[in-house]
Amino acid sequence: MYAEDLLERYKKGERLFDGIFFNGMDLSNMHLQKAIFTSSDFTDAVLENSDLKYSDFSYADFESASLKNADLKFSNLFDANLEYADLTNANLTKTNMEHAICSHTKFIGAKLIEANLKKSFIYKADFRNADLTGANFEGAYLYGANFKNAKLKDVNWKDAKIERSKIPEF
């Protein structure tokens, strides 16, 4: 499937794109709200500046994908693979990332307000300058994460295992 085909199908009202391979595709500046991409593969894809609000990406693979400035508000990334993904300045407000794999993931300047990262695996992720107000890290594993200059007001750290992470006083 090509980006043009995806957009055309979306414009015609199709919202189900389950298990599709988008590997390496440039999907920048797309408007794909309320779409279902469960178990789809976005490895090395570019989704920069895309509007993906209210979409379902559960079990999707975003390894090495670029989602800079993407709007993922209220989306579902349950059990998604975000390894080496770049979500710099992305909006993940109230996004569900429970059980997500966030290894070497860039969340620099991202909005994760009230995001759910419960039981996520967070390894050497970069949250510098991110807004994590009200985020939920309950039961998450964090190793080597960088939270320098991040907003951490009302974050839930209950039962989180935190090792070698740079978390400022909150």
Side-chain angles (χ1 to χ4, degrees), residues 36-55:
I36 299 170
F37 295 96
T38 55
S39 301
S40 290
D41 190 343
F42 294 92
T43 303
D44 295 314
V46 180
L47 294 110
E48 295 177 4
N49 304 303
S50 290
D51 184 352
L52 307 166
K53 290 187 291 264
Y54 302 98
S55 294

